[in-house]
Short mmCIF file of all heavy atoms in Angstrom, two decimals:
data_model
loop_
_atom_site.label_atom_id
_atom_site.label_comp_id
_atom_site.label_asym_id
_atom_site.label_seq_id
_atom_site.Cartn_x
_atom_site.Cartn_y
_atom_site.Cartn_z
N VAL A 6 55.09 -90.66 62.62
CA VAL A 6 53.92 -91.38 63.18
C VAL A 6 53.58 -90.87 64.56
O VAL A 6 52.41 -90.66 64.89
CB VAL A 6 54.23 -92.90 63.17
CG1 VAL A 6 53.12 -93.65 63.93
CG2 VAL A 6 54.34 -93.43 61.77
N LEU A 7 54.63 -90.63 65.35
CA LEU A 7 54.40 -90.13 66.73
C LEU A 7 53.67 -88.78 66.72
O LEU A 7 52.73 -88.53 67.49
CB LEU A 7 55.70 -90.02 67.48
CG LEU A 7 56.24 -91.32 68.07
CD1 LEU A 7 57.61 -91.10 68.69
CD2 LEU A 7 55.26 -91.90 69.10
N ILE A 8 54.14 -87.88 65.79
CA ILE A 8 53.49 -86.54 65.71
C ILE A 8 52.01 -86.68 65.33
O ILE A 8 51.12 -86.07 65.92
CB ILE A 8 54.25 -85.62 64.72
CG1 ILE A 8 55.60 -85.25 65.33
CG2 ILE A 8 53.44 -84.35 64.43
CD1 ILE A 8 56.56 -84.52 64.39
N VAL A 9 51.76 -87.53 64.30
CA VAL A 9 50.36 -87.72 63.84
C VAL A 9 49.51 -88.27 65.00
O VAL A 9 48.40 -87.79 65.27
CB VAL A 9 50.31 -88.69 62.62
CG1 VAL A 9 48.87 -89.08 62.30
CG2 VAL A 9 50.94 -87.97 61.40
N LEU A 10 50.06 -89.30 65.71
CA LEU A 10 49.30 -89.88 66.83
C LEU A 10 49.01 -88.83 67.89
O LEU A 10 47.90 -88.80 68.45
CB LEU A 10 50.12 -91.04 67.44
CG LEU A 10 50.05 -92.36 66.65
CD1 LEU A 10 50.95 -93.41 67.28
CD2 LEU A 10 48.60 -92.88 66.59
N LYS A 11 50.01 -87.95 68.15
CA LYS A 11 49.81 -86.91 69.19
C LYS A 11 48.65 -85.99 68.78
O LYS A 11 47.77 -85.67 69.58
CB LYS A 11 51.09 -86.10 69.36
CG LYS A 11 51.00 -85.12 70.48
CD LYS A 11 52.28 -84.30 70.61
CE LYS A 11 51.94 -83.03 71.36
NZ LYS A 11 52.72 -81.91 70.96
N HIS A 12 48.63 -85.62 67.48
CA HIS A 12 47.55 -84.73 67.01
C HIS A 12 46.20 -85.39 67.14
O HIS A 12 45.22 -84.76 67.57
CB HIS A 12 47.83 -84.33 65.53
CG HIS A 12 48.71 -83.14 65.45
ND1 HIS A 12 50.07 -83.24 65.37
CD2 HIS A 12 48.45 -81.82 65.45
CE1 HIS A 12 50.61 -82.04 65.32
NE2 HIS A 12 49.64 -81.14 65.36
N ILE A 13 46.15 -86.68 66.79
CA ILE A 13 44.86 -87.39 66.89
C ILE A 13 44.40 -87.42 68.36
O ILE A 13 43.24 -87.17 68.67
CB ILE A 13 44.99 -88.83 66.31
CG1 ILE A 13 45.17 -88.76 64.81
CG2 ILE A 13 43.77 -89.69 66.64
CD1 ILE A 13 45.48 -90.07 64.13
N PHE A 14 45.37 -87.67 69.25
CA PHE A 14 45.04 -87.74 70.66
C PHE A 14 44.50 -86.39 71.15
O PHE A 14 43.48 -86.34 71.82
CB PHE A 14 46.29 -88.14 71.46
CG PHE A 14 46.08 -88.14 72.94
CD1 PHE A 14 45.36 -89.17 73.54
CD2 PHE A 14 46.54 -87.08 73.71
CE1 PHE A 14 45.13 -89.15 74.91
CE2 PHE A 14 46.32 -87.08 75.09
CZ PHE A 14 45.60 -88.11 75.69
N VAL A 15 45.21 -85.31 70.75
CA VAL A 15 44.76 -83.96 71.17
C VAL A 15 43.35 -83.68 70.65
O VAL A 15 42.48 -83.24 71.39
CB VAL A 15 45.76 -82.87 70.69
CG1 VAL A 15 45.20 -81.48 70.89
CG2 VAL A 15 47.06 -83.00 71.42
N LEU A 16 43.12 -84.04 69.37
CA LEU A 16 41.81 -83.78 68.79
C LEU A 16 40.72 -84.52 69.52
O LEU A 16 39.68 -83.99 69.91
CB LEU A 16 41.80 -84.21 67.31
CG LEU A 16 42.24 -83.13 66.33
CD1 LEU A 16 42.24 -83.71 64.92
CD2 LEU A 16 41.26 -81.95 66.37
N LEU A 17 40.99 -85.84 69.77
CA LEU A 17 39.97 -86.67 70.46
C LEU A 17 39.69 -86.17 71.88
O LEU A 17 38.56 -86.21 72.34
CB LEU A 17 40.42 -88.15 70.48
CG LEU A 17 40.36 -88.86 69.13
CD1 LEU A 17 40.89 -90.26 69.25
CD2 LEU A 17 38.92 -88.88 68.63
N SER A 18 40.76 -85.70 72.54
CA SER A 18 40.52 -85.28 73.91
C SER A 18 39.84 -83.89 73.97
O SER A 18 39.20 -83.55 74.94
CB SER A 18 41.81 -85.25 74.72
OG SER A 18 42.72 -84.46 74.06
N CYS A 19 39.98 -83.12 72.87
CA CYS A 19 39.36 -81.77 72.84
C CYS A 19 37.85 -81.82 72.68
O CYS A 19 37.12 -81.04 73.28
CB CYS A 19 39.92 -80.94 71.69
SG CYS A 19 41.34 -80.04 72.18
N VAL A 20 37.35 -82.75 71.86
CA VAL A 20 35.92 -82.82 71.56
C VAL A 20 35.10 -83.02 72.84
O VAL A 20 34.22 -82.19 73.17
CB VAL A 20 35.60 -83.84 70.47
CG1 VAL A 20 34.09 -83.99 70.29
CG2 VAL A 20 36.27 -83.39 69.16
N PRO A 21 35.41 -84.07 73.63
CA PRO A 21 34.63 -84.21 74.87
C PRO A 21 34.80 -83.00 75.79
O PRO A 21 33.86 -82.58 76.47
CB PRO A 21 35.20 -85.46 75.53
CG PRO A 21 36.02 -86.15 74.53
CD PRO A 21 36.38 -85.15 73.46
N MET A 22 36.00 -82.39 75.76
CA MET A 22 36.25 -81.22 76.63
C MET A 22 35.30 -80.08 76.26
O MET A 22 34.70 -79.47 77.11
CB MET A 22 37.71 -80.79 76.41
CG MET A 22 38.17 -79.79 77.40
SD MET A 22 38.20 -80.52 79.01
CE MET A 22 39.45 -79.55 79.76
N GLU A 23 35.18 -79.86 74.91
CA GLU A 23 34.29 -78.81 74.43
C GLU A 23 32.84 -79.08 74.83
O GLU A 23 32.15 -78.20 75.31
CB GLU A 23 34.38 -78.69 72.92
CG GLU A 23 35.23 -77.54 72.47
CD GLU A 23 35.35 -77.47 70.98
OE1 GLU A 23 34.34 -77.76 70.29
OE2 GLU A 23 36.45 -77.16 70.52
#
Side-chain angles (χ1 to χ4, degrees):
V6 170
L7 279 176
I8 290 171
V9 170
L10 281 176
K11 186 181 159 212
H12 274 89
I13 291 173
F14 176 75
V15 169
L16 271 177
L17 287 176
S18 56
C19 270
V20 173
M22 191 65 153
E23 258 177 38

